[in-house]
């Protein structure tokens, strides 16, 4: 049975407390209508959030809880993950603050695994101050990939614009060597299934961008598009996946070709994220597709330069909450339909 909207528990990891994470969280839930859509649980400490709230003259009422079975539906819950005070210096990089960011994220992930929360929205962290002997991951996605079932894939989402990546956080000079048939099959299978179960698209159409300028110009500017990408896409298409390309990347977004497809897969990070962030106007969401649990985040970082100045735009974080709820509902609907396929009447002879 699908949960009522307001009963969907949205876990929120606090991110870097010296960044804009707390500000965008508080601003998102200033609008009491958000509590008609979900019940948030922030993994932090109610005293420090109350202090930050005063700094922004926020009117959000915070409900401190000490156990996850104390969650109050329709309130902004703060799960007291620690008791001690923290010295904050907004806008600065602090390893001690990084430790609390990871403490929040790890606890929220555990709650997600155990079903104490329904979805997870992560506020931005600083990838440089989170590293420790107990946490040696470049960021959120890599840790989630280890802790949850499935194969994580970063999918950037803004309304009907969805951009995924064949390779993500690797140096540019290593991209070509990573592009294998096995990788292409795996990533496209993940995105195709995500579009069906998480976005309720029955027969998704997927476009793939070429690696080289002009897709190699017939081998003049590189051979990977002809020898690796094209054969792999052809095999997938013949097996029933509606995948098209490779397309030359330079004109693909400017000519609005992307509007014809349900998702676009770029060969490498900047090829996909530069046009996405240009087109999404600060409303984009980073969705971790391919896992058995749902996690979203805003598509921006800690923004130290404006932290504490009440200048942060909260739209991306709000959209991350919306998307997490939408995907949760889509997955439930997909699971229900899959378990109870519609019975067709047998033809009368």
């Amino acid at each position: 049975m699908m949960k009522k909207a307001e009963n969907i528990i949205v876990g929120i990891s606090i991110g870097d407390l010296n960044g804009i994470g707390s500000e965008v969280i508080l601003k998102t839930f200033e609008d009491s209508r958000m509590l008609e859509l979900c019940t948030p649980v922030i993994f932090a400490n109610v005293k420090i959030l109350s202090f930050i709230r005063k700094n922004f003259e926020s009117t959000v009422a915070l409900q401190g809880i000490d156990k996850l079975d104390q969650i109050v539906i329709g309130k902004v819950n703060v799960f007291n993950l620690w008791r001690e005070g923290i010295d904050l210096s907004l806008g600065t990089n602090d390893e001690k603050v990084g430790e609390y960011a990871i403490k929040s994220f790890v606890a929220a992930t555990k709650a997600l695994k155990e079903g104490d929360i329904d979805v997870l929205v992560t506020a931005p962290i600083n990838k440089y101050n989170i590293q420790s002997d107990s946490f040696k991951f470049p960021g959120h996605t890599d840790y989630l990939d280890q802790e949850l079932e499935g194969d994580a894939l970063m999918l950037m989402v803004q309304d009907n614009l969805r951009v995924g990546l064949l390779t993500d956080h690797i140096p540019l000079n290593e991209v070509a060597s990573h592009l294998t048939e096995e990788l292409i099959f795996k990533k496209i299978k993940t995105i195709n299934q995500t579009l069906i179960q998480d976005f309720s698209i029955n027969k998704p159409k997927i476009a793939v961008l070429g690696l080289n300028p002009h897709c190699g110009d017939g081998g003049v500017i590189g051979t990977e598009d002809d020898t690796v990408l094209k054969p792999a896409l052809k095999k997938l298409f013949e097996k029933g996946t509606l995948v098209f390309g490779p397309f030359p990347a330079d004109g693909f977004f400017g000519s609005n070709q992307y509007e014809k497809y349900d998702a676009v897969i770029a060969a490498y990070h900047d090829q996909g994220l530069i046009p996405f962030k240009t087109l999404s106007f600060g409303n984009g969401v980073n969705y971790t597709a391919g896992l058995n649990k749902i996690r979203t985040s805003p598509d921006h970082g800690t923004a130290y330069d404006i932290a504490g100045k009440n200048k942060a735009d909260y739209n991306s974080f709000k959209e991350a909450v919306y998307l997490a709820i939408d995907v949760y509902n889509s997955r439930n609907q997909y699971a229900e339909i899959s378990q109870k396929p519609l019975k067709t009447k047998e033809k009368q002879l």
Side-chain angles (χ1 to χ4, degrees):
M1 181 179 286
M2 197 176 291
K3 282 190 174 185
K4 289 183 179 178
E6 70 272 14
N7 291 343
I8 294 174
I9 310 298
V10 177
I12 299 170
S13 60
I14 196 63
D16 191 312
L17 284 158
N18 279 337
I20 63 169
S22 301
E23 180 181 345
V24 296
I25 293 168
L26 292 171
K27 283 181 174 179
T28 293
F29 293 102
E30 282 266 329
D31 187 344
S32 60
R33 290 174 298 180
M34 293 297 292
L35 299 178
E36 296 172 15
L37 298 175
C38 66
T39 295
V41 181
I42 306 166
F43 287 71
N45 172 272
V46 73
K47 285 184 179 177
I48 200 160
L49 270 181
S50 297
F51 168 76
I52 293 168
R53 179 183 61 182
K54 286 177 187 173
N55 185 56
F56 296 116
E57 298 181 354
S58 170
T59 58
V60 174
L62 301 175
Q63 175 80 34
I65 59 172
D66 296 318
K67 295 179 181 178
L68 289 173
D69 59 9
Q70 296 173 342
I71 293 170
V72 181
I73 300 298
K75 300 288 185 183
V76 179
N77 296 265
V78 182
F79 175 45
N80 290 311
L81 200 54
W82 61 82
R83 290 286 178 189
E84 65 274 16
I86 307 173
D87 292 326
L88 298 183
S89 181
L90 296 176
T92 62
N93 177 10
D94 184 338
E95 285 186 14
K96 191 68 180 172
V97 169
E99 289 176 16
Y100 285 97
I102 291 308
K103 183 178 279 194
S104 172
F105 173 54
V106 168
T109 302
K110 182 173 182 283
L112 184 67
K113 284 172 71 174
E114 294 176 356
D116 294 318
I117 58 176
D118 296 314
V119 299
L120 171 61
V121 182
T122 58
I125 53 174
N126 180 329
K127 291 180 181 178
Y128 300 101
N129 69 25
I130 60 168
Q131 303 301 320
S132 68
D133 290 339
S134 59
F135 194 91
K136 296 179 179 179
F137 299 89
H140 290 123
T141 305
D142 305 270
Y143 181 76
L144 291 168
D145 195 34
Q146 173 189 282
E147 292 297 307
L148 302 174
E149 295 171 22
D151 293 309
L153 183 145
M154 183 169 70
L155 186 66
M156 306 302 292
V157 180
Q158 199 263 322
D159 289 338
N160 292 326
L161 173 62
R162 305 176 191 91
V163 177
L165 305 172
L166 288 177
T167 62
D168 41 44
H169 296 127
I170 62 172
L172 197 55
N173 64 359
E174 293 179 16
V175 170
S177 64
H178 278 74
L179 288 182
T180 63
E181 184 181 87
E182 182 185 6
L183 176 81
I184 294 164
F185 283 0
K186 183 171 119 177
K187 297 287 186 179
I188 290 175
K189 182 182 177 183
T190 296
I191 285 189
N192 192 62
Q193 182 60 24
T194 292
L195 293 170
I196 294 168
Q197 74 171 19
D198 296 347
F199 294 90
S200 302
I201 298 167
N202 191 25
K203 291 185 177 178
K205 291 173 66 180
I206 300 167
V208 179
L209 302 181
L211 170 66
N212 298 300
H214 310 162
C215 290
D217 264 346
V220 177
I221 321 174
T223 60
E224 292 86 358
D225 294 283
D226 289 330
T227 61
V228 182
L229 274 170
K230 281 182 184 176
L233 300 186
K234 186 170 182 287
K235 285 181 184 178
L236 283 165
F237 190 86
E238 288 170 351
K239 290 179 180 177
T241 303
L242 298 181
V243 60
F244 303 87
F247 295 100
D250 57 350
F252 189 83
F253 291 94
S255 62
N256 295 331
Q257 271 184 284
Y258 69 90
E259 293 178 352
K260 300 174 186 175
Y261 300 94
D262 299 302
V264 181
I265 305 181
Y268 55 92
H269 186 279
D270 284 10
Q271 185 190 57
L273 266 65
I274 289 173
F276 176 82
K277 292 192 176 186
T278 303
L279 292 166
S280 64
F281 308 111
N283 293 319
V285 177
N286 178 354
Y287 170 49
T288 306
L291 297 176
N292 65 323
K293 299 287 185 179
I294 297 160
R295 175 261 179 166
T296 64
S297 73
D299 72 348
H300 58 72
T302 54
Y304 285 152
D305 56 322
I306 59 168
K309 297 177 182 177
N310 205 18
K311 292 181 178 179
D313 184 337
Y314 65 95
N315 279 314
S316 182
F317 188 87
K318 182 177 70 174
E319 291 296 331
V321 175
Y322 286 155
L323 182 62
I325 294 167
D326 287 346
V327 171
Y328 181 84
N329 286 329
S330 291
R331 278 199 183 183
N332 275 355
Q333 196 172 33
Y334 176 78
E336 216 168 90
I337 291 168
S338 301
Q339 287 169 8
K340 300 175 186 175
L342 290 172
K343 291 181 180 178
T344 56
K345 289 183 180 179
E346 290 183 18
K347 286 185 179 179
Q348 297 285 328
L349 291 174

